[in-house]
Amino acid sequence: MRPWAAVLALWLMLRAAAGQVPTLPGIRDKTFIKECVQVHNDFRSKVQPPASNMRYMTWDAALARTARAWAKRCLFEHNIYLSKERQCHPNFTSIGENLWVGSHQAFTVTNAIKLWYDEVSSYNFTTQECTKVCGHYTQVVWDHSHKIGCAVTYCKEVAGIPDAANFVCNYSPSGNFPRKPYIQGKSCSNCEKGDTCENNLCRNPRRDRVIYYPRWHPPWEFNTECDGACITVILLRALLMFLTPVAVYYVKKLCTSLNMST
């Protein structure tokens, strides 16, 4: 096979590999981060009855990495490491989780979180009774939860759904303890000392500070299979390994020709 034909074949393989996996936002995507935080805070600010002590949520990079690591496993099950110390966050030990799975074409951050929040129709705040499923709703509006990290990954199949988007959000401190999700009352009337009120939510510069934890990753995170990105990297390496000797050959040939001409 001629060099140009081999390069063309590898290029076509790269394009095919890259096209196998639909594009979904990563955990560093600013638009994705903004939507995850904003939608949660919008729902938290509008709870009924009103909350007197609802905290404002901000992004947490470590929680997002944990969400991504678990979402990549393509399981519609809760993370088995959540209750294990230092396995899901370098500082927080209390971590909650919400899961959504559906067709990747149908996925939007807003619709997924709204589906969780809509469980409010099955929840009686006064009696704390739930007629169906309410745990996703109560976590979304849990008063003490103020850090969030989410991730979405493509899966060939999850819970019987082909070509799925697997969306995971982790929260800290976690919710869903045996009490009401927040204290009823006039908005921000029960915020902590040093807090300010913004859009019916309690804010605090110390609590809201965004930390990136650049050297931390879940200790149990690993890839069990080679996805499209992995295949692309392998093919790129093969392409470079092939092109290097070809380039060396032509450089030597060029240098020889130059020497002969002089």
mmCIF file of all heavy atoms in Angstrom, residues 64-110:
data_model
loop_
_atom_site.group_PDB
_atom_site.id
_atom_site.type_symbol
_atom_site.label_atom_id
_atom_site.label_comp_id
_atom_site.label_asym_id
_atom_site.label_seq_id
_atom_site.Cartn_x
_atom_site.Cartn_y
_atom_site.Cartn_z
ATOM 1 N N ALA A 64 -18.617 16.856 40.423
ATOM 2 C CA ALA A 64 -18.841 16.629 38.995
ATOM 3 C C ALA A 64 -17.992 15.462 38.491
ATOM 4 O O ALA A 64 -18.449 14.656 37.677
ATOM 5 C CB ALA A 64 -18.522 17.896 38.208
ATOM 6 N N ARG A 65 -16.762 15.345 38.974
ATOM 7 C CA ARG A 65 -15.909 14.225 38.555
ATOM 8 C C ARG A 65 -16.474 12.895 39.053
ATOM 9 O O ARG A 65 -16.421 11.880 38.361
ATOM 10 C CB ARG A 65 -14.490 14.423 39.080
ATOM 11 C CG ARG A 65 -13.739 15.513 38.347
ATOM 12 C CD ARG A 65 -12.302 15.643 38.815
ATOM 13 N NE ARG A 65 -11.834 17.005 38.556
ATOM 14 C CZ ARG A 65 -11.280 17.791 39.454
ATOM 15 N NH1 ARG A 65 -11.090 17.346 40.685
ATOM 16 N NH2 ARG A 65 -10.906 19.003 39.143
ATOM 17 N N THR A 66 -17.008 12.912 40.266
ATOM 18 C CA THR A 66 -17.642 11.709 40.798
ATOM 19 C C THR A 66 -18.868 11.338 39.969
ATOM 20 O O THR A 66 -19.082 10.168 39.633
ATOM 21 C CB THR A 66 -18.037 11.917 42.265
ATOM 22 O OG1 THR A 66 -16.847 12.023 43.056
ATOM 23 C CG2 THR A 66 -18.872 10.765 42.789
ATOM 24 N N ALA A 67 -19.677 12.349 39.620
ATOM 25 C CA ALA A 67 -20.862 12.107 38.792
ATOM 26 C C ALA A 67 -20.457 11.536 37.439
ATOM 27 O O ALA A 67 -21.077 10.594 36.926
ATOM 28 C CB ALA A 67 -21.649 13.401 38.616
ATOM 29 N N ARG A 68 -19.403 12.085 36.845
ATOM 30 C CA ARG A 68 -18.947 11.602 35.536
ATOM 31 C C ARG A 68 -18.428 10.163 35.617
ATOM 32 O O ARG A 68 -18.740 9.330 34.752
ATOM 33 C CB ARG A 68 -17.847 12.519 35.010
ATOM 34 C CG ARG A 68 -17.307 12.105 33.641
ATOM 35 C CD ARG A 68 -16.191 13.031 33.187
ATOM 36 N NE ARG A 68 -15.052 13.007 34.098
ATOM 37 C CZ ARG A 68 -13.985 13.797 33.974
ATOM 38 N NH1 ARG A 68 -13.929 14.674 32.987
ATOM 39 N NH2 ARG A 68 -12.990 13.720 34.838
ATOM 40 N N ALA A 69 -17.633 9.886 36.652
ATOM 41 C CA ALA A 69 -17.064 8.544 36.798
ATOM 42 C C ALA A 69 -18.164 7.500 36.937
ATOM 43 O O ALA A 69 -18.073 6.399 36.382
ATOM 44 C CB ALA A 69 -16.130 8.503 38.004
ATOM 45 N N TRP A 70 -19.219 7.835 37.678
ATOM 46 C CA TRP A 70 -20.312 6.874 37.863
ATOM 47 C C TRP A 70 -21.182 6.795 36.616
ATOM 48 O O TRP A 70 -21.608 5.702 36.211
ATOM 49 C CB TRP A 70 -21.155 7.247 39.079
ATOM 50 C CG TRP A 70 -22.154 6.181 39.403
ATOM 51 C CD1 TRP A 70 -23.500 6.228 39.254
ATOM 52 C CD2 TRP A 70 -21.865 4.863 39.920
ATOM 53 N NE1 TRP A 70 -24.080 5.040 39.645
ATOM 54 C CE2 TRP A 70 -23.105 4.189 40.051
ATOM 55 C CE3 TRP A 70 -20.692 4.217 40.286
ATOM 56 C CZ2 TRP A 70 -23.177 2.885 40.530
ATOM 57 C CZ3 TRP A 70 -20.765 2.913 40.752
ATOM 58 C CH2 TRP A 70 -22.004 2.265 40.876
ATOM 59 N N ALA A 71 -21.448 7.934 35.977
ATOM 60 C CA ALA A 71 -22.280 7.936 34.771
ATOM 61 C C ALA A 71 -21.645 7.092 33.671
ATOM 62 O O ALA A 71 -22.344 6.429 32.894
ATOM 63 C CB ALA A 71 -22.498 9.368 34.288
ATOM 64 N N LYS A 72 -20.316 7.080 33.600
ATOM 65 C CA LYS A 72 -19.620 6.305 32.576
ATOM 66 C C LYS A 72 -19.841 4.805 32.716
ATOM 67 O O LYS A 72 -19.622 4.056 31.763
ATOM 68 C CB LYS A 72 -18.117 6.602 32.633
ATOM 69 C CG LYS A 72 -17.722 7.917 31.987
ATOM 70 C CD LYS A 72 -16.211 8.075 32.012
ATOM 71 C CE LYS A 72 -15.776 9.318 31.262
ATOM 72 N NZ LYS A 72 -14.295 9.467 31.278
ATOM 73 N N ARG A 73 -20.253 4.369 33.889
ATOM 74 C CA ARG A 73 -20.495 2.934 34.066
ATOM 75 C C ARG A 73 -21.812 2.482 33.436
ATOM 76 O O ARG A 73 -22.094 1.288 33.356
ATOM 77 C CB ARG A 73 -20.480 2.591 35.553
ATOM 78 C CG ARG A 73 -19.121 2.859 36.195
ATOM 79 C CD ARG A 73 -18.953 2.107 37.483
ATOM 80 N NE ARG A 73 -17.599 2.243 38.002
ATOM 81 C CZ ARG A 73 -17.117 1.556 39.025
ATOM 82 N NH1 ARG A 73 -17.889 0.665 39.641
ATOM 83 N NH2 ARG A 73 -15.874 1.728 39.433
ATOM 84 N N CYS A 74 -22.624 3.459 33.032
ATOM 85 C CA CYS A 74 -23.866 3.155 32.309
ATOM 86 C C CYS A 74 -24.776 2.231 33.107
ATOM 87 O O CYS A 74 -25.300 1.229 32.582
ATOM 88 C CB CYS A 74 -23.553 2.566 30.932
ATOM 89 S SG CYS A 74 -22.695 3.742 29.843
ATOM 90 N N LEU A 75 -24.941 2.548 34.376
ATOM 91 C CA LEU A 75 -25.847 1.813 35.259
ATOM 92 C C LEU A 75 -26.929 2.758 35.774
ATOM 93 O O LEU A 75 -26.629 3.878 36.176
ATOM 94 C CB LEU A 75 -25.077 1.240 36.456
ATOM 95 C CG LEU A 75 -23.931 0.280 36.164
ATOM 96 C CD1 LEU A 75 -23.155 -0.002 37.443
ATOM 97 C CD2 LEU A 75 -24.460 -1.011 35.566
ATOM 98 N N PHE A 76 -28.164 2.308 35.758
ATOM 99 C CA PHE A 76 -29.238 3.112 36.348
ATOM 100 C C PHE A 76 -29.414 2.683 37.797
ATOM 101 O O PHE A 76 -30.450 2.176 38.212
ATOM 102 C CB PHE A 76 -30.525 2.956 35.552
ATOM 103 C CG PHE A 76 -31.564 3.994 35.895
ATOM 104 C CD1 PHE A 76 -31.255 5.342 35.884
ATOM 105 C CD2 PHE A 76 -32.848 3.612 36.229
ATOM 106 C CE1 PHE A 76 -32.212 6.297 36.201
ATOM 107 C CE2 PHE A 76 -33.814 4.557 36.545
ATOM 108 C CZ PHE A 76 -33.489 5.902 36.531
ATOM 109 N N GLU A 77 -28.343 2.874 38.548
ATOM 110 C CA GLU A 77 -28.302 2.505 39.964
ATOM 111 C C GLU A 77 -27.495 3.571 40.703
ATOM 112 O O GLU A 77 -26.607 4.206 40.124
ATOM 113 C CB GLU A 77 -27.628 1.142 40.156
ATOM 114 C CG GLU A 77 -28.290 -0.004 39.420
ATOM 115 C CD GLU A 77 -27.463 -1.274 39.487
ATOM 116 O OE1 GLU A 77 -26.393 -1.259 40.161
ATOM 117 O OE2 GLU A 77 -27.862 -2.281 38.878
ATOM 118 N N HIS A 78 -27.778 3.722 41.997
ATOM 119 C CA HIS A 78 -27.046 4.718 42.768
ATOM 120 C C HIS A 78 -25.606 4.275 43.024
ATOM 121 O O HIS A 78 -25.311 3.079 43.144
ATOM 122 C CB HIS A 78 -27.757 5.001 44.094
ATOM 123 C CG HIS A 78 -28.957 5.892 43.940
ATOM 124 N ND1 HIS A 78 -28.853 7.206 43.559
ATOM 125 C CD2 HIS A 78 -30.283 5.646 44.104
ATOM 126 C CE1 HIS A 78 -30.060 7.748 43.499
ATOM 127 N NE2 HIS A 78 -30.946 6.816 43.814
ATOM 128 N N ASN A 79 -24.733 5.257 43.080
ATOM 129 C CA ASN A 79 -23.312 5.038 43.301
ATOM 130 C C ASN A 79 -23.078 4.290 44.612
ATOM 131 O O ASN A 79 -23.474 4.740 45.682
ATOM 132 C CB ASN A 79 -22.606 6.404 43.337
ATOM 133 C CG ASN A 79 -21.110 6.294 43.310
ATOM 134 O OD1 ASN A 79 -20.526 5.296 43.723
ATOM 135 N ND2 ASN A 79 -20.466 7.339 42.831
ATOM 136 N N ILE A 80 -22.404 3.151 44.538
ATOM 137 C CA ILE A 80 -22.183 2.313 45.717
ATOM 138 C C ILE A 80 -21.112 2.890 46.639
ATOM 139 O O ILE A 80 -20.927 2.405 47.757
ATOM 140 C CB ILE A 80 -21.787 0.884 45.303
ATOM 141 C CG1 ILE A 80 -20.487 0.894 44.484
ATOM 142 C CG2 ILE A 80 -22.916 0.220 44.528
ATOM 143 C CD1 ILE A 80 -19.951 -0.479 44.141
ATOM 144 N N TYR A 81 -20.408 3.940 46.178
ATOM 145 C CA TYR A 81 -19.331 4.515 46.982
ATOM 146 C C TYR A 81 -19.759 5.757 47.767
ATOM 147 O O TYR A 81 -18.949 6.330 48.491
ATOM 148 C CB TYR A 81 -18.146 4.881 46.085
ATOM 149 C CG TYR A 81 -17.562 3.723 45.335
ATOM 150 C CD1 TYR A 81 -17.919 3.476 44.013
ATOM 151 C CD2 TYR A 81 -16.663 2.850 45.937
ATOM 152 C CE1 TYR A 81 -17.398 2.397 43.310
ATOM 153 C CE2 TYR A 81 -16.131 1.768 45.249
ATOM 154 C CZ TYR A 81 -16.507 1.552 43.938
ATOM 155 O OH TYR A 81 -15.988 0.482 43.249
ATOM 156 N N LEU A 82 -21.014 6.183 47.616
ATOM 157 C CA LEU A 82 -21.458 7.435 48.226
ATOM 158 C C LEU A 82 -21.274 7.473 49.733
ATOM 159 O O LEU A 82 -20.932 8.513 50.300
ATOM 160 C CB LEU A 82 -22.941 7.690 47.888
ATOM 161 C CG LEU A 82 -23.260 8.051 46.435
ATOM 162 C CD1 LEU A 82 -24.752 8.245 46.269
ATOM 163 C CD2 LEU A 82 -22.507 9.297 46.001
ATOM 164 N N SER A 83 -21.477 6.368 50.395
ATOM 165 C CA SER A 83 -21.398 6.334 51.856
ATOM 166 C C SER A 83 -19.996 6.020 52.372
ATOM 167 O O SER A 83 -19.784 5.971 53.587
ATOM 168 C CB SER A 83 -22.381 5.294 52.409
ATOM 169 O OG SER A 83 -22.076 3.998 51.906
ATOM 170 N N LYS A 84 -19.039 5.828 51.450
ATOM 171 C CA LYS A 84 -17.685 5.491 51.860
ATOM 172 C C LYS A 84 -16.816 6.740 51.926
ATOM 173 O O LYS A 84 -16.765 7.521 50.969
ATOM 174 C CB LYS A 84 -17.081 4.458 50.901
ATOM 175 C CG LYS A 84 -17.862 3.143 50.890
ATOM 176 C CD LYS A 84 -17.251 2.127 49.941
ATOM 177 C CE LYS A 84 -18.051 0.825 49.952
ATOM 178 N NZ LYS A 84 -17.482 -0.192 49.038
ATOM 179 N N GLU A 85 -16.131 6.915 53.033
ATOM 180 C CA GLU A 85 -15.391 8.138 53.292
ATOM 181 C C GLU A 85 -14.290 8.369 52.259
ATOM 182 O O GLU A 85 -13.533 7.467 51.913
ATOM 183 C CB GLU A 85 -14.775 8.086 54.696
ATOM 184 C CG GLU A 85 -14.160 9.401 55.142
ATOM 185 C CD GLU A 85 -13.709 9.359 56.594
ATOM 186 O OE1 GLU A 85 -13.945 8.337 57.263
ATOM 187 O OE2 GLU A 85 -13.129 10.360 57.051
ATOM 188 N N ARG A 86 -14.232 9.621 51.753
ATOM 189 C CA ARG A 86 -13.218 10.096 50.816
ATOM 190 C C ARG A 86 -13.249 9.389 49.461
ATOM 191 O O ARG A 86 -12.329 9.538 48.674
ATOM 192 C CB ARG A 86 -11.800 9.969 51.407
ATOM 193 C CG ARG A 86 -11.640 10.535 52.798
ATOM 194 C CD ARG A 86 -11.976 12.002 52.877
ATOM 195 N NE ARG A 86 -11.820 12.513 54.236
ATOM 196 C CZ ARG A 86 -12.254 13.693 54.649
ATOM 197 N NH1 ARG A 86 -12.886 14.494 53.802
ATOM 198 N NH2 ARG A 86 -12.088 14.083 55.900
ATOM 199 N N GLN A 87 -14.291 8.640 49.181
ATOM 200 C CA GLN A 87 -14.366 7.958 47.899
ATOM 201 C C GLN A 87 -15.058 8.796 46.824
ATOM 202 O O GLN A 87 -14.885 8.549 45.629
ATOM 203 C CB GLN A 87 -15.109 6.627 48.044
ATOM 204 C CG GLN A 87 -14.380 5.602 48.888
ATOM 205 C CD GLN A 87 -13.071 5.163 48.241
ATOM 206 O OE1 GLN A 87 -13.061 4.624 47.136
ATOM 207 N NE2 GLN A 87 -11.967 5.417 48.914
ATOM 208 N N CYS A 88 -15.835 9.805 47.261
ATOM 209 C CA CYS A 88 -16.587 10.618 46.305
ATOM 210 C C CYS A 88 -16.297 12.106 46.421
ATOM 211 O O CYS A 88 -16.787 12.894 45.612
ATOM 212 C CB CYS A 88 -18.093 10.367 46.472
ATOM 213 S SG CYS A 88 -18.581 8.686 46.008
ATOM 214 N N HIS A 89 -15.512 12.494 47.405
ATOM 215 C CA HIS A 89 -15.127 13.904 47.577
ATOM 216 C C HIS A 89 -13.975 13.985 48.561
ATOM 217 O O HIS A 89 -13.939 13.238 49.540
ATOM 218 C CB HIS A 89 -16.317 14.735 48.089
ATOM 219 C CG HIS A 89 -16.155 16.198 47.846
ATOM 220 N ND1 HIS A 89 -15.388 16.998 48.669
ATOM 221 C CD2 HIS A 89 -16.646 17.012 46.874
ATOM 222 C CE1 HIS A 89 -15.409 18.242 48.203
ATOM 223 N NE2 HIS A 89 -16.162 18.284 47.114
ATOM 224 N N PRO A 90 -13.023 14.907 48.320
ATOM 225 C CA PRO A 90 -11.879 15.008 49.235
ATOM 226 C C PRO A 90 -12.222 15.620 50.587
ATOM 227 O O PRO A 90 -11.499 15.404 51.563
ATOM 228 C CB PRO A 90 -10.899 15.905 48.466
ATOM 229 C CG PRO A 90 -11.758 16.678 47.519
ATOM 230 C CD PRO A 90 -12.880 15.767 47.145
ATOM 231 N N ASN A 91 -13.333 16.373 50.668
ATOM 232 C CA ASN A 91 -13.709 17.032 51.915
ATOM 233 C C ASN A 91 -15.064 16.588 52.451
ATOM 234 O O ASN A 91 -15.200 16.212 53.610
ATOM 235 C CB ASN A 91 -13.702 18.556 51.737
ATOM 236 C CG ASN A 91 -12.312 19.098 51.453
ATOM 237 O OD1 ASN A 91 -11.309 18.515 51.863
ATOM 238 N ND2 ASN A 91 -12.239 20.210 50.729
ATOM 239 N N PHE A 92 -16.091 16.642 51.608
ATOM 240 C CA PHE A 92 -17.441 16.286 52.043
ATOM 241 C C PHE A 92 -17.567 14.779 52.267
ATOM 242 O O PHE A 92 -17.036 13.987 51.492
ATOM 243 C CB PHE A 92 -18.482 16.718 51.009
ATOM 244 C CG PHE A 92 -18.619 18.206 50.861
ATOM 245 C CD1 PHE A 92 -18.386 18.819 49.645
ATOM 246 C CD2 PHE A 92 -18.985 18.992 51.938
ATOM 247 C CE1 PHE A 92 -18.517 20.185 49.486
ATOM 248 C CE2 PHE A 92 -19.121 20.366 51.799
ATOM 249 C CZ PHE A 92 -18.887 20.960 50.572
ATOM 250 N N THR A 93 -18.266 14.423 53.314
ATOM 251 C CA THR A 93 -18.519 13.001 53.586
ATOM 252 C C THR A 93 -19.993 12.650 53.410
ATOM 253 O O THR A 93 -20.347 11.475 53.407
ATOM 254 C CB THR A 93 -18.088 12.640 55.021
ATOM 255 O OG1 THR A 93 -18.776 13.492 55.948
ATOM 256 C CG2 THR A 93 -16.586 12.830 55.192
ATOM 257 N N SER A 94 -20.839 13.668 53.268
ATOM 258 C CA SER A 94 -22.276 13.452 53.099
ATOM 259 C C SER A 94 -22.661 13.890 51.687
ATOM 260 O O SER A 94 -22.644 15.084 51.370
ATOM 261 C CB SER A 94 -23.059 14.258 54.141
ATOM 262 O OG SER A 94 -24.447 14.192 53.904
ATOM 263 N N ILE A 95 -22.996 12.920 50.837
ATOM 264 C CA ILE A 95 -23.232 13.215 49.416
ATOM 265 C C ILE A 95 -24.513 12.542 48.939
ATOM 266 O O ILE A 95 -24.717 11.345 49.144
ATOM 267 C CB ILE A 95 -22.052 12.742 48.554
ATOM 268 C CG1 ILE A 95 -20.779 13.484 48.985
ATOM 269 C CG2 ILE A 95 -22.319 12.969 47.069
ATOM 270 C CD1 ILE A 95 -19.516 12.954 48.351
ATOM 271 N N GLY A 96 -25.371 13.333 48.304
ATOM 272 C CA GLY A 96 -26.612 12.821 47.728
ATOM 273 C C GLY A 96 -26.484 12.669 46.222
ATOM 274 O O GLY A 96 -25.502 13.120 45.613
ATOM 275 N N GLU A 97 -27.492 12.051 45.611
ATOM 276 C CA GLU A 97 -27.394 11.770 44.172
ATOM 277 C C GLU A 97 -28.780 11.659 43.543
ATOM 278 O O GLU A 97 -29.692 11.070 44.109
ATOM 279 C CB GLU A 97 -26.637 10.457 43.966
ATOM 280 C CG GLU A 97 -26.396 10.081 42.514
ATOM 281 C CD GLU A 97 -25.618 8.781 42.411
ATOM 282 O OE1 GLU A 97 -26.184 7.719 42.795
ATOM 283 O OE2 GLU A 97 -24.469 8.819 41.972
ATOM 284 N N ASN A 98 -28.926 12.245 42.358
ATOM 285 C CA ASN A 98 -30.108 12.073 41.523
ATOM 286 C C ASN A 98 -29.687 11.523 40.174
ATOM 287 O O ASN A 98 -28.629 11.895 39.638
ATOM 288 C CB ASN A 98 -30.841 13.405 41.320
ATOM 289 C CG ASN A 98 -31.789 13.723 42.471
ATOM 290 O OD1 ASN A 98 -32.066 12.880 43.322
ATOM 291 N ND2 ASN A 98 -32.282 14.955 42.514
ATOM 292 N N LEU A 99 -30.519 10.648 39.606
ATOM 293 C CA LEU A 99 -30.216 9.999 38.324
ATOM 294 C C LEU A 99 -31.337 10.241 37.325
ATOM 295 O O LEU A 99 -32.515 10.272 37.685
ATOM 296 C CB LEU A 99 -30.053 8.484 38.513
ATOM 297 C CG LEU A 99 -29.094 7.991 39.598
ATOM 298 C CD1 LEU A 99 -29.202 6.474 39.719
ATOM 299 C CD2 LEU A 99 -27.660 8.394 39.282
ATOM 300 N N TRP A 100 -30.949 10.408 36.063
ATOM 301 C CA TRP A 100 -31.902 10.489 34.949
ATOM 302 C C TRP A 100 -31.303 9.742 33.780
ATOM 303 O O TRP A 100 -30.107 9.864 33.491
ATOM 304 C CB TRP A 100 -32.142 11.942 34.551
ATOM 305 C CG TRP A 100 -33.096 12.126 33.397
ATOM 306 C CD1 TRP A 100 -34.435 12.388 33.471
ATOM 307 C CD2 TRP A 100 -32.777 12.086 31.993
ATOM 308 N NE1 TRP A 100 -34.972 12.495 32.208
ATOM 309 C CE2 TRP A 100 -33.970 12.318 31.285
ATOM 310 C CE3 TRP A 100 -31.595 11.851 31.286
ATOM 311 C CZ2 TRP A 100 -34.027 12.336 29.893
ATOM 312 C CZ3 TRP A 100 -31.644 11.860 29.887
ATOM 313 C CH2 TRP A 100 -32.854 12.112 29.210
ATOM 314 N N VAL A 101 -32.118 8.987 33.067
ATOM 315 C CA VAL A 101 -31.650 8.315 31.858
ATOM 316 C C VAL A 101 -32.749 8.400 30.803
ATOM 317 O O VAL A 101 -33.948 8.313 31.107
ATOM 318 C CB VAL A 101 -31.268 6.839 32.133
ATOM 319 C CG1 VAL A 101 -32.480 6.026 32.572
ATOM 320 C CG2 VAL A 101 -30.612 6.212 30.913
ATOM 321 N N GLY A 102 -32.334 8.603 29.581
ATOM 322 C CA GLY A 102 -33.275 8.685 28.468
ATOM 323 C C GLY A 102 -32.516 8.752 27.163
ATOM 324 O O GLY A 102 -31.283 8.697 27.136
ATOM 325 N N SER A 103 -33.234 8.869 26.066
ATOM 326 C CA SER A 103 -32.610 8.989 24.759
ATOM 327 C C SER A 103 -31.690 10.204 24.728
ATOM 328 O O SER A 103 -32.038 11.271 25.232
ATOM 329 C CB SER A 103 -33.685 9.124 23.685
ATOM 330 O OG SER A 103 -33.132 9.541 22.468
ATOM 331 N N HIS A 104 -30.506 10.053 24.143
ATOM 332 C CA HIS A 104 -29.580 11.188 24.123
ATOM 333 C C HIS A 104 -30.137 12.348 23.297
ATOM 334 O O HIS A 104 -29.813 13.509 23.560
ATOM 335 C CB HIS A 104 -28.206 10.752 23.587
ATOM 336 C CG HIS A 104 -28.150 10.550 22.103
ATOM 337 N ND1 HIS A 104 -28.449 9.348 21.497
ATOM 338 C CD2 HIS A 104 -27.837 11.397 21.088
ATOM 339 C CE1 HIS A 104 -28.308 9.459 20.199
ATOM 340 N NE2 HIS A 104 -27.944 10.692 19.922
ATOM 341 N N GLN A 105 -31.011 12.047 22.312
ATOM 342 C CA GLN A 105 -31.622 13.120 21.530
ATOM 343 C C GLN A 105 -32.588 13.942 22.367
ATOM 344 O O GLN A 105 -32.788 15.134 22.118
ATOM 345 C CB GLN A 105 -32.361 12.565 20.305
ATOM 346 C CG GLN A 105 -31.467 11.893 19.266
ATOM 347 C CD GLN A 105 -31.486 10.386 19.416
ATOM 348 O OE1 GLN A 105 -31.654 9.865 20.512
ATOM 349 N NE2 GLN A 105 -31.305 9.682 18.303
ATOM 350 N N ALA A 106 -33.187 13.307 23.386
ATOM 351 C CA ALA A 106 -34.198 13.997 24.200
ATOM 352 C C ALA A 106 -33.590 14.718 25.402
ATOM 353 O O ALA A 106 -34.289 15.467 26.080
ATOM 354 C CB ALA A 106 -35.241 12.985 24.685
ATOM 355 N N PHE A 107 -32.298 14.501 25.664
ATOM 356 C CA PHE A 107 -31.719 15.055 26.891
ATOM 357 C C PHE A 107 -31.531 16.566 26.837
ATOM 358 O O PHE A 107 -30.992 17.112 25.886
ATOM 359 C CB PHE A 107 -30.356 14.421 27.172
ATOM 360 C CG PHE A 107 -29.609 15.133 28.275
ATOM 361 C CD1 PHE A 107 -29.981 14.955 29.595
ATOM 362 C CD2 PHE A 107 -28.564 16.005 27.982
ATOM 363 C CE1 PHE A 107 -29.315 15.621 30.613
ATOM 364 C CE2 PHE A 107 -27.887 16.674 28.985
ATOM 365 C CZ PHE A 107 -28.266 16.486 30.314
ATOM 366 N N THR A 108 -31.998 17.227 27.885
ATOM 367 C CA THR A 108 -31.611 18.600 28.201
ATOM 368 C C THR A 108 -31.489 18.672 29.715
ATOM 369 O O THR A 108 -32.205 17.972 30.443
ATOM 370 C CB THR A 108 -32.629 19.664 27.731
ATOM 371 O OG1 THR A 108 -33.837 19.567 28.508
ATOM 372 C CG2 THR A 108 -32.944 19.518 26.245
ATOM 373 N N VAL A 109 -30.602 19.501 30.188
ATOM 374 C CA VAL A 109 -30.417 19.662 31.634
ATOM 375 C C VAL A 109 -31.716 20.098 32.282
ATOM 376 O O VAL A 109 -32.152 19.541 33.300
ATOM 377 C CB VAL A 109 -29.301 20.692 31.915
ATOM 378 C CG1 VAL A 109 -29.278 21.066 33.396
ATOM 379 C CG2 VAL A 109 -27.951 20.146 31.488
ATOM 380 N N THR A 110 -32.368 21.091 31.698
ATOM 381 C CA THR A 110 -33.589 21.646 32.286
ATOM 382 C C THR A 110 -34.687 20.602 32.405
ATOM 383 O O THR A 110 -35.336 20.485 33.455
ATOM 384 C CB THR A 110 -34.084 22.834 31.446
ATOM 385 O OG1 THR A 110 -33.085 23.861 31.452
ATOM 386 C CG2 THR A 110 -35.378 23.403 32.022
#
